[in-house]
Amino acid sequence: MSQRLRIEKKKEKRLVFWMLILLLPHFEPGYFDAELPVVDLLFNIGRVFSALYIIYYAIERKHSLSMIMIVFTILQGWYFINTVIQNGISKRITINTISMLIGCLIIDCYAKKYARQLIHALLIMYELLIYSNFITMLLFPKGLYATEWQWENWLLGFRNTFTFTFVPALAISMIWKHYSRRSFRFFLLLSVCVISSFLGHSATCLVTILVMTGLYLTGFYRVKIITAGNVTSVFLVSFFAVVIFRVLDYAEPFLKQLGRKTTLSGRTFIWDRTISAIGARSIIGYGQQDVELRVALVPQAYGATHAHNFVLEHLYSGGVIQLLIVIIFLVMIIANLQKYKKQEIVHCMLLGVLCIDMIFLVESGFHLMLYTFLFLCAYAKQISEQCSSQSKRRRFFI
């Protein structure tokens, strides 16, 4: 190996490690946030350091914010200000908003020139989180801790939220597998995600991961019919069919024979009450409310702290104004993916978006990991160019 190549590899290792340091504080596991105040404080200090550095980096390098970053900032700004005006300042929403913005700003600053290193840093971070969570599931089969409204929590938090981590992690691992031409790392992560889904007994997580696995392993995710436009259309049709028009009610006689109901584990109660509440304040919504207020909205469903649907949650928390900003944000991402739909890596991204749409149908999806992955899709061109398949196998430090 030449001296120049060694220097380049050392630089790449340092850059990947530095990106990991910047990203990790914003992806704090739920267990640390809920149960370990000292560790939570350390993560908050890390958030401040990360924010100060990336803002300095953007100013010093005269980085021009992308249009997608500007729209996302407007979205988070409206969400935060609307909440402050209606319900007062909340520590939790302040931290979450900052992490959302800084996490996406890190991507915005590095994705154009260092997309490959950014993908690698994200993959390492996800592997650390998922493997650590898996260990806690093996050590504490019935859960690591419990909260007032949630049980069966492990390192990443409540079992239903595992899919927020697993889907972007697997999509990023697919991209890295395509670049490195090595399969072991991907299949190890996939196996742990599948086993964790079974151990967690979360139907949403298990179905989503199995669909993602099936489409990828069969190669069906590459078919021409799976485009950004078609994926979006399927989500919209599913939303109106399942949430608004309740087509599953027509299957009630058949499901009764199987001993099942059509309430989707209580979600239909939540949807009905949320839609009713939206009608009373449709323009600006209610802002982010305390957990007790959200639970009281739907007494039929124990511990329902959100709308369990992406569209309804945006309408409830920010009204039509917030939903319109979200639509602009998503349209920009969809248009970008559609533009580069022939690229192999874009197919991996589309598979991730398809599974995120499945999550959005039954979960609110207000989560940093989902938003940062969607934001990453805005750089499909750079990621495709810098993570294209190599003619020879490459050695990597991790």
Side-chain angles (χ1 to χ4, degrees), residues 150-314:
Q150 295 174 329
W151 57 100
E152 294 179 317
N153 299 277
W154 285 277
L155 182 70
L156 291 177
F158 188 45
R159 56 185 171 83
N160 280 356
T161 63
F162 287 178
T163 186
F164 299 168
T165 307
F166 293 174
V167 167
L170 288 174
I172 288 171
S173 187
M174 290 172 193
I175 294 172
W176 192 253
K177 172 179 174 289
H178 177 73
Y179 169 69
S180 66
R181 299 184 66 201
R182 292 181 181 273
S183 301
F184 175 77
R185 194 168 175 178
F186 166 74
F187 283 110
L188 177 61
L189 185 65
L190 175 62
S191 299
V192 170
C193 287
V194 172
I195 295 171
S196 298
S197 300
F198 274 103
L199 294 177
H201 302 292
S202 170
T204 301
C205 184
L206 183 58
V207 170
T208 305
I209 296 304
L210 290 179
V211 167
M212 192 174 194
T213 302
L215 290 176
Y216 184 73
L217 295 182
T218 60
F220 191 74
Y221 76 104
R222 292 193 186 102
V223 298
K224 293 182 179 180
I225 195 173
I226 300 183
T227 65
N230 289 341
V231 166
T232 305
S233 298
V234 169
F235 169 74
L236 292 175
V237 170
S238 300
F239 169 74
F240 283 101
V242 176
V243 179
I244 305 300
F245 297 114
R246 306 291 168 80
V247 295
L248 289 181
D249 289 346
Y250 296 103
E252 186 172 2
F254 174 72
L255 292 173
K256 279 186 176 179
Q257 294 179 359
L258 298 177
R260 305 294 294 177
K261 297 181 180 179
T262 60
T263 57
L264 291 173
S265 299
R267 283 180 171 83
T268 54
F269 294 121
I270 301 170
W271 295 339
D272 287 339
R273 291 302 299 271
T274 302
I275 291 171
S276 177
I278 289 169
R281 199 180 295 181
S282 59
I283 304 300
I284 63 172
Y286 297 84
Q288 178 66 43
Q289 293 180 322
D290 291 334
V291 172
E292 289 76 13
L293 289 175
R294 294 303 299 271
V295 171
L297 181 68
V298 191
Q300 300 97 326
Y302 180 80
T305 59
H306 52 81
H308 283 278
N309 179 269
F310 181 75
V311 175
L312 294 184
E313 183 67 19
H314 275 292

Side-chain angles (χ1 to χ4, degrees), residues 341-357:
K341 61 183 179 181
K342 294 183 179 180
Q343 301 295 325
E344 170 68 19
I345 285 176
V346 173
H347 288 295
C348 298
M349 291 182 164
L350 274 173
L351 179 56
V353 172
L354 173 63
C355 293
I356 287 175
D357 282 346

